[in-house]
Amino acid sequence: MRVLQGRDILRTGTIADTDGEDGTQFVTVPLDRQLEPGDFVVRALVGKRPRDGLVLAEVTAEDLPAAAGSGVLVLRPRTRSRGPIHDFVLAYLRSPRCVELSILDQLMGHMRLSVRSLSELLVPYPDEEMITALTHLQEVKNKMQGWQDEADELLTSVFDEESAKAARKRIIGEGRILRQRANEADSLTPLSGRIRKRFPLPLAYRWRAMEAALSGGTSREGYEAILGFFEVLSAYLAQIAVAMAANAGIKLQEVDDIAAKVGAGRGGTTVGDWLAILESTKGKKFRALDDDTVLGEIRNALGPEVAEARVWLKEARNDKAHERPVDDVQLPAAIQAAKGYLDQIMEDLSFLPDLSLRFVSDFQWDDITETGEVSYEELVGDHPVVPASTGTVDRFLEKGSLYIVDPLDRWHRIRPFLVRERCPECKTWSTFYLDRRAGGEIRLKSLEHGHVIVAKPHVVRALEAVSYLPAN
């Protein structure tokens, strides 16, 4: 059978083909020295380039029969099952860090792996959160590979047809779904496409309305729509930050300030309040939190990279609110500057699609299995009507509440900082946040369209319980 040499192991993670005329050695090998499907073969010589890791390939049935030569080491997994841990270990072995941390013998300007050095190599093991993240990534990889396989199969099948006309018809017909998938992916490349299709509903909906206002050319309506979007964006981020801080047991002075102002009827919440909350998340109370937590992501939002944009838009919003409008001559330049700054900020918030906004429409908990069956609406994209989904969770969820679900599938309740109600004015389901006290009533304002409703008693009690309103 064939004897694999180091040169046969390619950096693509595959084993080179042979036609028997390239100097490949063939010998008789005992059964216990033969390679098996699922083995990993590793080049013993490792290059010293900074970005080099181990060069290894997985043995497949098509590579057999074969045996390892003197320049090849063999790793045999304890289990043959593929999964996120398997992929994690392979990625580590192929990384430069693996070589940096390995025990390697120097040989002729290269590093040579020995059986001993490889057996003593420490390999990191992923925790549950890393496994979840890897599983999601693998699902994406498998889906994209499946699409590529479909395209390859379709291309090959062209030559099965009896005529060019039949082949063309097949390519057009069966390739339609593949083309639509590719077009959908292309539509997510521009910033606007990503926001309208993948950002949380309140922001995507408001962005669509802003683009509609700008589509007619230079107008005061378009300028005010940009400033209105910035305030909604700030409010949305701030509500998540406050909810996450409350869940982490972190008390914010800015929340107390809002409670005192709104409770006394001295005014409503403003963009300044929301930006102050976001700024507070950069303080020492939050430094112990990992950047991959929801609050960690929010903490890094609207950072130094977009400081000028944030200040400019805040001042422009305040000028508008205090009857200091931009005159007609300056309006085109103001629109261009405002939109440019807003685009800069939205590019900086590319993590938001990973924080899914979900409304729990139904929930059933099983005490015996300690699992729950949840029905929810994924509030994503620019249309308020979204399909229902179902899933299984390992924690209790509140029916009728909004949650943020992070990339590790952790559900974070954000009630009562954001609540979902049917708007009595436009009759659509909308997302509301604390606005002001008026006539003894607490008013909530919609992120999507700015309509105002009176908070129900249970919402007021919840806002008092989280210190967003002073307790009566």
Side-chain angles (χ1 to χ4, degrees):
M1 63 185 60
R2 177 188 184 186
V3 177
L4 295 181
Q5 305 300 333
R7 66 175 182 271
D8 297 323
I9 305 170
L10 307 180
R11 292 187 179 275
T12 57
T14 59
I15 295 173
D17 294 330
T18 181
D19 56 9
E21 299 179 358
D22 56 0
T24 300
Q25 183 182 8
F26 289 85
V27 299
T28 301
V29 179
L31 185 62
D32 61 348
R33 303 293 294 176
Q34 297 178 18
L35 294 172
E36 298 177 3
D39 286 347
F40 290 94
V41 286
V42 187
R43 282 189 195 174
L45 288 180
V46 183
K48 295 181 65 177
R49 295 180 302 180
R51 299 189 66 181
D52 277 348
L54 302 185
V55 180
L56 72 159
E58 184 172 4
V59 177
T60 67
E62 288 74 18
D63 301 315
L64 301 177
S70 60
V72 174
L73 300 177
V74 182
L75 292 167
R76 180 159 292 167
R78 291 190 176 95
T79 62
R80 299 295 184 180
S81 61
R82 297 296 296 262
I85 297 176
H86 173 281
D87 296 333
F88 178 85
V89 171
L90 283 186
Y92 173 73
L93 293 175
R94 289 178 171 135
S95 72
R97 180 55 56 90
C98 173
V99 174
E100 293 170 11
L101 301 179
S102 299
I103 305 170
L104 301 169
D105 302 318
Q106 298 296 323
L107 178 66
M108 300 292 291
H110 285 75
M111 294 181 286
R112 183 176 181 86
L113 279 171
S114 66
V115 172
R116 178 181 176 182
S117 63
L118 196 58
S119 67
E120 293 179 351
L121 175 66
L122 295 178
V123 178
Y125 192 88
D127 57 20
E128 288 300 322
E129 294 180 348
M130 176 62 78
I131 290 174
T132 300
L134 290 170
T135 300
H136 290 169
L137 185 60
Q138 187 63 48
E139 289 172 353
V140 173
K141 178 181 175 181
N142 292 343
K143 184 175 292 185
M144 297 180 71
Q145 183 62 54
W147 295 345
Q148 180 174 332
D149 292 344
E150 285 183 45
D152 290 341
E153 184 179 347
L154 182 58
L155 286 171
T156 303
S157 70
V158 169
F159 303 101
D160 297 336
E161 299 297 335
E162 296 181 355
S163 67
K165 181 178 181 180
R168 183 171 62 252
K169 181 178 180 181
R170 183 170 186 173
I171 286 288
I172 294 173
E174 296 187 17
R176 183 172 293 115
I177 297 299
L178 291 171
R179 294 195 304 274
Q180 290 172 357
R181 288 170 182 162
N183 292 336
E184 183 70 13
D186 284 342
S187 72
L188 296 177
T189 301
L191 174 64
S192 177
R194 298 200 308 273
I195 294 173
R196 292 186 58 171
K197 293 183 179 181
R198 299 307 312 159
F199 272 59
L201 168 63
L203 302 181
Y205 186 93
R206 196 69 176 235
W207 184 271
R208 183 182 70 175
M210 179 195 71
E211 287 191 331
L214 291 170
S215 64
T218 301
S219 69
R220 195 163 300 277
E221 178 189 7
Y223 179 64
E224 293 178 356
I226 297 172
L227 302 182
F229 181 90
F230 176 68
E231 180 166 1
V232 165
L233 172 66
S234 303
Y236 181 79
L237 293 174
Q239 306 320 307
I240 298 176
V242 173
M244 295 302 105
N247 293 343
I250 299 175
K251 187 175 178 60
L252 300 179
Q253 179 60 47
E254 290 75 13
V255 171
D256 293 338
D257 295 341
I258 289 175
K261 177 176 68 172
V262 175
R266 298 198 307 268
T269 54
T270 66
V271 66
D273 294 324
W274 310 136
L275 292 176
I277 288 174
L278 295 175
E279 188 63 30
S280 72
T281 64
K282 299 174 175 61
K284 61 181 181 180
K285 295 180 181 179
F286 300 90
R287 290 174 188 163
L289 299 175
D290 293 335
D291 283 346
D292 65 354
T293 63
V294 174
L295 195 50
E297 295 277 22
I298 299 296
R299 176 183 59 199
N300 295 327
L302 303 185
E305 299 82 2
V306 295
E308 180 182 351
R310 182 181 67 245
V311 171
W312 194 97
L313 288 167
K314 176 187 176 183
E315 291 179 351
R317 181 64 176 171
N318 287 340
D319 286 343
K320 190 263 179 185
H322 293 91
E323 302 299 329
R324 296 190 293 267
V326 175
D327 63 39
D328 292 341
V329 175
Q330 297 173 329
L331 185 59
I335 291 176
Q336 183 177 3
K339 186 59 167 58
Y341 281 133
L342 186 59
D343 287 349
Q344 183 181 348
I345 287 175
M346 295 306 291
E347 289 283 8
D348 192 54
L349 298 176
S350 59
F351 66 87
L352 275 178
D354 291 334
L355 304 181
S356 302
L357 180 64
R358 297 180 183 177
F359 176 73
V360 176
S361 54
D362 196 14
F363 184 77
Q364 297 292 329
W365 177 254
D366 187 330
D367 271 334
I368 297 177
T369 62
E370 294 187 339
T371 58
E373 296 296 326
V374 58
S375 297
Y376 63 89
E377 296 174 22
E378 184 97 20
L379 304 182
V380 62
D382 61 8
H383 198 284
V385 179
V386 296
S389 302
T390 59
T392 302
V393 294
D394 59 1
R395 56 158 295 180
F396 187 86
L397 301 178
E398 290 181 352
K399 178 180 177 180
S401 288
L402 285 168
Y403 284 81
I404 289 290
V405 182
D406 65 24
L408 300 178
D409 289 334
R410 296 174 297 199
W411 291 65
H412 307 272
R413 187 186 64 212
I414 54 174
R415 181 187 71 86
F417 306 100
L418 286 177
V419 296
R420 194 164 189 241
E421 300 278 356
R422 186 182 293 277
C423 177
E425 184 172 344
C426 64
K427 305 299 187 287
T428 60
W429 283 95
S430 307
T431 314
F432 292 88
Y433 64 99
L434 178 63
D435 180 33
R436 65 184 188 275
R437 180 187 291 275
E441 296 176 329
I442 298 300
R443 304 293 177 90
L444 306 177
K445 190 175 183 179
S446 166
L447 289 168
E448 289 86 351
H449 40 63
H451 297 164
V452 175
I453 65 172
V454 176
K456 296 176 181 177
H458 73 274
V459 175
V460 174
R461 291 193 297 270
L463 290 171
E464 292 171 349
V466 299
S467 302
Y468 229 24
L469 288 173
N472 292 324

